[in-house]
Amino acid sequence: MPELPEVETVRRGLEKLIVGKTIISATNDNHKSFPNEPTEVSEFMLSTTPTAVRRRAKVLLIDLSSKYTLVIHLKMTGQMVFVANDSDRFSAGHPSDSMLGELPDKSTRVIITFSDGSKLFFNDQRKFGWMRLMPTISVPEIDFMKRVGPEPLEHSFTAKILFERLQRRKNSSIKSALLDQSVVAGIGNIYADESLWGAQIHPATHVGTISFSKIKILTTEIKTVLQLAIDKGGSTDRNYRNAEGKKGSYLAFARVFRREGQECPRCGTIIEKIRTAGRGTHFCPTCQVERKTK
DNA sequence: CACTTGACCTGTCCGC
DNA sequence: TGCGGACAGGTCAAGT
């Protein structure tokens, strides 16, 4: 579920909420969600302080004063939700309907408690997500980190770079290639569909048939869509919540994602939903015409 | 090596 | 209401 804008939104929230606090306990209901040994957790996590919250692709990195890092992947349904202690919550006012209910709930896998009584909940309905404690210096050695492509919102990410990196996937569909994290970091199903609509490229188009000038447009669309989504606090289709338990609002601005049967905002044609690269794929059959030529 | 498919899990929605 | 099947935003291992 969470793609780059959602993970970035969580990162910004956690940076504000937990940096400088002291961890006093970490309870774990699911070995797969957090497989570190209790002795490791005790030695390198308890009595330490989060010093920074970083993001690479869809991976969240909480650096601790012990020189260890909590590496977190939310996968489809993971959430990192911070809850202040009870007296703070009381003074914070009425709960909004965009908030989660009481925590912990049945999806709660890990609870991190800070010395001021506040808590950080790692919830994950489908148990695909995970967190791992490891030395900060080892994080770049994770296979995923070595393979993952450039950050699309960096200024150094250009059409030339995207075009070059796409060459390794020139025989697959552009949709499949955009979902490949080794081509470009952080794009998932929502923002792949939205970017391809913006660039007027049919999702099933073979990468090798797309011109450089079209990739230039796609590069701009990727940046624009991701930035807008961050500005809207990400997309909440069902599960996603930010670090304060609130939903994101990007889907109200989506042009094709989850809009099958509705009119294309550019040409009025009815949006279709197909399966491409094994994923639900939304597009406008009129303005995203399949390109067979170079 | 490039590419596709199935697996990992639980919950929800849709048709019968 | 209940039940079976399809499907859900991500990634990896195993297959072709």
Side-chain angles (χ1 to χ4, degrees):
Chain A
M1 126 194 198
E3 306 181 31
L4 186 155
E6 290 74 32
V7 179
E8 177 61 19
T9 301
V10 172
R11 187 200 70 75
R12 292 179 185 187
L14 290 180
E15 184 172 60
K16 253 189 333 198
L17 294 165
I18 68 169
V19 168
K21 293 188 188 291
T22 300
I23 297 170
I24 58 169
S25 75
T27 63
N28 177 14
D29 92 320
N30 184 293
H31 184 71
K32 193 186 153 216
S33 300
F34 187 23
N36 290 83
E37 294 299 326
T39 52
E40 262 179 311
V41 172
S42 169
E43 184 168 0
F44 299 110
M45 189 167 158
L46 301 191
S47 303
T48 73
T49 297
T51 56
V53 185
R54 297 179 289 142
R55 178 190 62 75
R56 177 75 171 101
K58 301 168 190 170
V59 178
L60 204 53
L61 302 164
I62 302 178
D63 292 331
L64 303 176
S65 54
S66 58
K67 308 289 185 199
Y68 270 60
T69 294
L70 276 175
V71 182
I72 301 164
H73 203 306
L74 302 175
K75 292 287 183 83
M76 303 281 254
T77 54
Q79 307 170 336
M80 296 297 292
V81 178
F82 177 87
V83 177
N85 68 40
D86 287 340
S87 56
D88 288 354
R89 287 163 74 193
F90 184 75
S91 61
H94 301 290
S96 140
D97 65 359
S98 70
M99 305 279 287
L100 283 175
E102 279 300 302
L103 291 175
D105 65 20
K106 62 194 292 193
S107 76
T108 299
R109 307 297 165 214
V110 180
I111 306 172
I112 297 170
T113 305
F114 298 99
S115 58
D116 63 358
S118 59
K119 294 176 193 294
L120 181 60
F121 294 89
F122 173 33
N123 303 322
D124 186 20
Q125 178 183 103
R126 287 169 77 176
K127 302 181 184 172
F128 288 176
W130 46 263
M131 52 187 260
R132 304 265 191 291
L133 185 63
M134 66 172 65
T136 304
I137 199 170
S138 304
V139 171
E141 302 310 314
I142 300 169
D143 285 345
F144 178 87
M145 292 297 182
K146 288 196 283 195
R147 269 186 327 186
V148 69
E151 288 290 326
L153 290 178
E154 297 279 313
H155 288 301
S156 55
F157 180 73
T158 60
K160 183 167 178 289
I161 286 173
L162 178 60
F163 189 81
E164 284 168 5
R165 297 191 73 86
L166 280 169
Q167 294 317 300
R168 73 179 69 190
R169 298 293 307 266
K170 60 182 187 309
N171 290 317
S172 66
S173 68
I174 184 67
K175 170 78 183 264
S176 173
L178 288 180
L179 295 177
D180 183 343
Q181 300 297 295
S182 72
V183 170
V184 52
I187 298 176
N189 209 34
I190 297 174
Y191 304 111
D193 285 3
E194 293 289 297
S195 301
L196 289 169
W197 180 90
Q200 297 183 247
I201 301 171
H202 190 293
T205 310
H206 288 312
V207 169
T209 68
I210 304 176
S211 67
F212 180 69
S213 64
K214 205 68 170 166
I215 294 299
K216 276 209 254 192
I217 298 170
L218 179 60
T219 305
T220 303
E221 287 301 321
I222 288 169
K223 289 173 181 274
T224 304
V225 163
L226 293 176
Q227 188 57 56
L228 175 63
I230 291 172
D231 294 343
K232 300 301 175 189
S235 296
T236 295
D237 184 17
R238 164 174 294 174
N239 277 275
Y240 169 72
R241 295 292 190 283
N242 69 15
E244 298 171 271
K246 295 179 180 167
K247 297 179 177 181
S249 66
Y250 174 82
L251 285 189
F253 300 84
R255 284 81 51 91
V256 286
F257 187 83
R258 281 293 168 90
R259 294 192 173 271
E260 63 271 30
Q262 301 178 42
E263 289 182 5
C264 170
R266 185 162 44 214
C267 75
T269 305
I270 300 300
I271 301 294
E272 291 182 11
K273 181 175 181 182
I274 58 174
R275 261 187 117 67
T276 305
R279 317 299 298 279
T281 298
H282 313 74
F283 73 107
C284 169
T286 299
C287 55
Q288 289 169 265
V289 176
E290 186 123 20
R291 292 169 53 90
K292 299 288 188 191
T293 56
K294 297 193 178 185

